[in-house]
Amino acid sequence: MLESVPRRVRIVEVGPRDGLQNEGRAIGTADKVRFVDLLSAAGLEMIEATSFVHPRAVPQLADAADLLAGIDKLPGIRYPVLVPNVRGMERALQAGVRDVAVFTAATETFNRRNINATIDESLLNIGEVVRLARAEGVWVRGYISTVFGCPYEGAVDPAAALGVAERLLEIGVDELSLGDTIGVATPRTAEAVLSRAAERFGVDRVGLHFHDTRGTALANTLLAMQMGFHIFDSSAGGLGGCPFAPGAAGNLATEDLVYLLDGLGIESGVNLDAVVTASRFIADKVGHPLTSKVYQAFQATRAA
Ligand code: MG
């Protein structure tokens, strides 16, 4: 059963952006810089560093340019940033960014509530961003929220969700990230999406963004790996929470993912102790306990 898992997995660390964006407490730029540098030191090869959304929309990440100027960019590591529109793309280019991420959703109601646009409107907007990115030779990742379930519409038709995925690839994004935004997927519902995705797009351009809101992120990850998928998003400590379930876990924790990969003998290049060090640093700043089980076990063992 385990022979089919990939030999190597790429982790996309989303703690500094997706994680901190969902934190209530403002974190100072110097602390964010230190956090990213600790994650670089842990061997993560892709770290989503920040976002060039309008500072009024996401004040937590208003220091995007300063953060990028401050971090120690290690060779071989890519530091994508989120961009919502052409204006954000222009700011990102001015800051020297070479990798960006754009976003839309699989369901109309979520997209409307999240960015006040229909899916078609958001794809038009993404088209403009991608055109600019292409002209500058910038790599683009495309997030799709609510692929496995929507807080407003409930169950999501896999064919409809993958229709949005197909359009993003047609527009020219280099890689997809299929998001379980509210953490409702189980291996059964995940398989319905993933089998179709693998058939239509292959596994080399499709990342998976599982949330652990109901404790199923690792089960879904294992299933996905058995199907050949090898790109997974996670956040240090499980940083971020779930905006639709305050207080509950959000992103799959990087520690939990790395522990699973290590146990299966799957390479990621990531050092688990070093991720824990990064999480320990940021836990102090966010001011609440982190949800990662593996992180908690490290802390408990250290205290004993
Ligand atoms: Mg997330």
Side-chain angles (χ1 to χ4, degrees):
M1 282 294 280
L2 290 173
E3 298 80 63
S4 59
V5 298
R7 283 192 46 236
R8 188 177 167 83
V9 153
R10 166 156 54 86
I11 298 177
V12 181
E13 168 62 48
V14 298
R17 198 283 301 171
D18 184 345
L20 294 185
Q21 175 178 332
N22 287 299
E23 290 292 337
R25 192 187 279 191
I27 313 289
T29 307
D31 288 335
K32 290 180 196 167
V33 167
R34 177 86 182 123
F35 182 43
V36 173
D37 286 348
L38 287 168
L39 293 167
S40 296
L44 288 149
E45 60 189 287
M46 188 170 282
I47 302 170
E48 194 173 79
T50 185
S51 167
F52 281 86
V53 297
H54 197 285
R56 263 204 308 275
V58 184
Q60 296 97 319
L61 304 180
D63 59 354
D66 291 339
L67 174 111
L68 287 175
I71 60 176
D72 194 6
K73 297 190 192 71
L74 300 187
I77 303 185
R78 290 154 71 186
Y79 300 89
V81 302
L82 199 71
V83 296
N85 50 34
V86 166
R87 178 75 194 107
M89 183 69 197
E90 287 166 351
R91 287 172 57 213
L93 288 170
Q94 277 162 21
V97 161
R98 302 304 302 153
D99 304 278
V100 299
V102 294
F103 55 95
T104 185
T107 54
E108 292 290 354
T109 316
F110 184 89
N111 213 45
R112 171 69 62 192
R113 301 269 188 115
N114 191 37
I115 56 173
N116 195 28
T118 65
I119 293 171
D120 281 349
E121 286 165 351
S122 69
L123 290 171
L124 277 174
N125 174 49
I126 287 169
E128 291 177 35
V129 173
V130 169
R131 216 170 302 131
L132 188 50
R134 280 271 159 274
E136 301 287 337
V138 166
W139 184 85
V140 184
R141 188 160 212 258
Y143 282 108
I144 308 176
S145 297
T146 63
V147 169
F148 303 87
C150 174
Y152 308 111
E153 299 183 19
V156 174
D157 174 13
L162 295 179
V164 177
E166 178 134 48
R167 289 172 70 190
L168 277 177
L169 290 171
E170 281 167 8
I171 286 169
V173 307
D174 297 283
E175 180 172 299
L176 299 168
S177 173
L178 307 182
D180 184 13
T181 309
I182 52 172
V184 290
T186 64
R188 178 72 70 197
T189 51
E191 186 187 28
V193 173
L194 298 181
S195 58
R196 288 171 172 84
E199 198 180 295
R200 281 170 76 168
F201 315 125
V203 294
D204 295 335
R205 292 185 295 170
V206 182
L208 301 170
H209 186 110
F210 288 124
H211 276 204
D212 206 29
T213 319
R214 290 167 182 79
T216 56
L218 281 181
N220 296 332
T221 300
L222 179 58
L223 174 82
M225 290 195 296
Q226 289 174 304
M227 298 172 78
F229 289 91
H230 55 86
I231 305 164
F232 295 94
D233 302 358
S234 64
S235 76
L239 211 60
C242 178
F244 300 94
N251 292 301
L252 167 62
T254 305
E255 290 92 328
D256 298 0
L257 175 57
V258 172
Y259 184 83
L260 177 71
L261 297 177
D262 286 352
L264 291 170
I266 299 171
E267 283 173 45
S268 66
V270 179
N271 181 283
L272 180 55
D273 294 85
V275 177
V276 170
T277 299
S279 294
R280 203 172 273 147
F281 171 79
I282 204 69
D284 269 356
K285 316 298 174 193
V286 298
H288 63 76
L290 300 179
T291 55
S292 163
K293 295 279 188 199
V294 171
Y295 174 79
Q296 289 168 4
F298 265 77
Q299 292 297 86
T301 307
R302 195 159 95 138

